[in-house]
Amino acid sequence: MVKFAFTALAFSLTTAALAQRSDYPIRAVPFTQVKLTDTFWLPRLKTNTDVTIPASFQRCEATNRVKNFEMAAAKQGKFATTFPFDDTDIYKTIEGASYSMSLYPDEKLGAYVDALVAKVGAAQEPDGYLYTARTIDPAHPHPWAGPERWEKERELSHELYNSGHLYEAAVAHYQATGKKTLLNIALKNADLVCAVFGPGKRRVAPGHEIVEMGLVKLYRVTGKPEYLSTAKFFLEARGHYKGYDPQSQDAWKNGSYWQDDKPVADQREAVGHAVRAEYLYSAMADVAALTGDQQLLASVDSIWHNMVSKKLYVTGGTGAVPGGERFGGNYELPNTTAYNETCASVANVYWNQRMFQLHGDSKYVDVLEKVLYNGLISGVGLDGKSFFYSNAMQIKNSVSFAQSEPQRAGWFDCSCCPTNLARLFPSLPGYVYAQKGNEVYVNLFVSGSTDLLVNKKKVQITQQNNYPWQGDLKFTVNPAASTDFNLLVRLPGWARNEAVPSDLYTFATPSQEKVSIKINGKPVTYTVQKGYAVLAKKWRKNDVVEVTLPMEVRQVVANSNVKADLDKVALQRGPVVYCAEWKDNGGKTSNLIVPTTTTFTAAYTPEVLNGIMQLTATIPAVQVDAAKNSVRTVQQTMTAVPYYAWANRGKGEMTVWFPQRVTDVDLISQPIVEAVVNK
Ligand code: FUB
Ligand code: ZN
């Protein structure tokens, strides 16, 4: 049986290492300390454990990803998959399985992971190098790898990307199981990386970031300064690209594709490949926290501001442009061709959590919540084994079947997204609470409980709610003995008339409804600190806090610079953004009009899409007569479902942004053209 273990050893290593240095002022309460009981996330975590993780391992086996490691160990054969980063699907699934096993112990899975870790170890070269795309047959490495180790790192080899995912997996495996098997493999590889790269040694800006975040995690576990200094070195290596052509608009030539066009301290906007970028920004936050580097902090703050003001979809998706899987220009947020890679949403969650830990401002959690409830979980079907790589914002029968993914697939040649979800889901409990001394932050509203130490006293906090469907939140605070501390409850931006923490989206009309808070049945007044209600008191056994969030259906409008959304509205209730799907709307959605005066009714429908709050309204829809000679507007019932749940009932039209008037309606559907996934 695999036992949960932040082992005594892990704690002593970590606390010794942490004792002397600066770090994030706010500490997230680890996922292992938070027990969920809720009906929204817990079933998803269970599906991830029961379906997604086994399916990912099975697909890693069936698609020769495991075989690559076996061949590397035997030093014979021919690399048997497509991409040199296919090793990472195994690492990410081990990471997910490790997190998952600390929630749901599973002997059989534990034994399988042990065997897989042994295969990974066997594929490692004696000096620590681990990259099956070369080790299998060093005379004929993968074409993206180049004849010599690391020489194509800046381009496409992904050697350091593979290392980064290895480190992330190794730390999760160690923390969850107490076993050092994978950690030792990772440390041996990291020692090689630190020996090869650094001042006076090789310098490269890693072509696909994540090694920096991984090194920071290894530093946290071991306290070894080289891991942090090498992470910092990789950040500082950016902006020295020799082939840099500032005149070129081509992101491959000017370095912006992999964020190598400027030194990180001078970067101010979110640019280039979105997953690469958001892993970089996460690492910038990590290194700024650990070193106190103010320039790095200023850069990452500006970049975040650019992203949230000009490059974020209303669903929380990022990376608008298919060519290069990248951020577009400011306000370039097209709907029919939106790319929104699922991995970019994963990365955006990591980034926003770090920004929150740096600044203690709820605006970062507002974005994190938006991503979680919308653009991230849209990436996986309700079955747990079908996935979107890109997350479309509109499917029109006549246009975008050829441009977007209208339905999920079980796996992809480049299958980064499914395995990234597999690792993120079981870590979700770690995003619910945070702590800074005697300030306890409640960031996400998820039923369950956590056991904390505040003022050296044990305190249990229990949440009971039916979020995101209902706004009545109940918290029971139960200290072992009465104690003073501040409970900081996030007041979501959307409950304070703020659609996003920028002017990119606003609610069409302000709501008069306010958040109300009671303690032990009595309304309280409270101060607001960076978006949190500060409840400061001596907490006694079984104190009850009740928070009521307004849950009206809101119409969202975009900044007028977003040309794709001009004169359109999106629908949101609580943190959930809605869409209309063909299935509920007479086979078509691109003909629906939502005038400003539309009133929506919300009703919980347990039988639809595993239980959702469904929205309905009477609205005008444009219809073409049978002979296709004339059009008319008819009143019809429009039904909207949460965006995350679309494409679970077959493929057809889907709309997030609805015209307010008869503009941009798609009158005649053409026959369906099969999807081409943009890559
Ligand atoms: O390059 C590795 C992964 O493949 C990226 O993160 C994804 O965007 C996909 O291109
Ligand atoms: Zn991906």
Side-chain angles (χ1 to χ4, degrees), residues 357-372:
Q357 288 182 252
L358 277 174
H359 296 296
D361 196 311
S362 69
K363 65 185 180 183
Y364 304 107
V365 188
D366 286 349
V367 177
L368 185 152
E369 180 184 66
K370 178 179 267 303
V371 179
L372 275 183

Side-chain angles (χ1 to χ4, degrees), residues 384-660:
K385 55 182 178 183
S386 57
F387 305 91
F388 275 135
Y389 187 113
S390 62
N391 291 270
M393 291 295 291
Q394 180 167 26
I395 300 291
K396 280 188 185 183
N397 284 350
S398 58
V399 182
S400 48
F401 266 63
Q403 294 173 342
S404 319
E405 273 179 275
Q407 66 184 5
R408 297 182 180 83
W411 192 250
F412 308 88
D413 247 9
C414 167
S415 217
C416 46
C417 300
T419 50
N420 232 348
L421 286 171
R423 75 185 180 126
L424 183 95
F425 269 110
S427 71
L428 182 103
Y431 295 92
V432 180
Y433 300 98
Q435 202 178 340
K436 178 184 177 190
N438 73 344
E439 305 213 302
V440 176
Y441 292 84
V442 182
N443 276 339
L444 299 181
F445 307 125
V446 186
S447 290
S449 62
T450 186
D451 291 301
L452 308 172
L453 214 52
V454 191
N455 289 333
K456 299 193 182 134
K457 293 203 178 86
K458 285 188 181 167
V459 177
Q460 184 178 66
I461 298 178
T462 305
Q463 288 198 46
Q464 285 163 285
N465 59 51
N466 188 18
Y467 196 78
W469 309 128
Q470 280 162 8
D472 300 321
L473 313 175
K474 181 177 169 192
F475 307 87
T476 306
V477 181
N478 204 1
S482 301
T483 184
D484 283 298
F485 67 90
N486 297 347
L487 188 70
L488 275 71
V489 180
R490 183 172 67 94
L491 300 169
W494 55 260
R496 295 181 282 114
N497 279 316
E498 189 180 273
V500 280
S502 71
D503 65 357
L504 185 54
Y505 303 108
T506 47
F507 292 124
T509 47
S511 162
Q512 299 313 318
E513 290 191 37
K514 297 267 178 293
V515 178
S516 78
I517 303 186
K518 291 181 188 166
I519 298 183
N520 297 329
K522 295 200 185 90
V524 290
T525 51
Y526 52 87
T527 54
V528 178
Q529 174 187 305
K530 295 186 178 178
Y532 290 87
V534 182
L535 308 178
K537 74 184 229 57
K538 183 180 285 293
W539 295 93
R540 300 190 162 80
K541 274 190 191 303
N542 293 319
D543 275 341
V544 172
V545 178
E546 289 163 286
V547 177
T548 307
L549 304 174
M551 296 298 279
E552 312 125 281
V553 179
R554 310 294 299 271
Q555 293 188 21
V556 183
V557 293
N559 186 301
S560 57
N561 289 310
V562 184
K563 297 298 174 229
D565 300 337
L566 269 184
D567 295 326
K568 293 181 185 173
V569 292
L571 304 172
Q572 179 172 350
R573 182 178 181 279
V576 178
V577 173
Y578 279 76
C579 69
E581 262 200 301
W582 62 282
K583 179 86 175 166
D584 309 302
N585 293 285
K588 195 162 172 59
T589 63
S590 52
N591 60 337
L592 306 177
I593 297 164
V594 177
T596 327
T597 49
T598 310
T599 311
F600 284 87
T601 306
Y604 189 73
T605 50
E607 70 290 356
V608 179
L609 297 165
N610 288 358
I612 54 162
M613 194 66 80
Q614 211 171 45
L615 308 184
T616 49
T618 305
I619 50 97
V622 177
Q623 284 190 351
V624 181
D625 77 351
K628 298 185 180 168
N629 285 328
S630 62
V631 293
R632 62 193 177 122
T633 303
V634 294
Q635 292 296 114
Q636 74 174 53
T637 301
M638 165 189 173
T639 299
V641 299
Y643 171 78
Y644 74 73
W646 81 279
N648 280 290
R649 299 172 296 176
K651 67 181 172 182
E653 290 200 341
M654 183 277 291
T655 303
V656 174
W657 286 97
F658 303 94
Q660 293 167 300

Side-chain angles (χ1 to χ4, degrees), residues 203-220:
R203 180 164 79 177
V204 71
H208 192 316
E209 299 87 331
I210 200 174
V211 69
E212 306 83 351
M213 289 167 77
L215 282 167
V216 167
K217 286 197 176 169
L218 292 183
Y219 170 62
R220 289 183 181 286

Side-chain angles (χ1 to χ4, degrees), residues 6 75 87 139 147 154 156 260 269 274 445 448 550 576 646 672-673:
F6 250 113
K75 299 257 180 328
D87 294 358
R154 181 180 272 120
L156 277 173
D260 201 6
E269 293 197 4
F445 307 125
V576 178
W646 81 279
I672 288 168
V673 184

Side-chain angles (χ1 to χ4, degrees), residues 91 103 113 119 125 130 152 160 217 272 314 390 598 629 642 675:
Y91 302 149
L103 299 173
V113 169
K119 288 184 186 178
E125 298 193 18
L130 184 47
K152 295 269 181 207
L160 292 172
K217 286 197 176 169
V314 72
S390 62
T598 310
N629 285 328

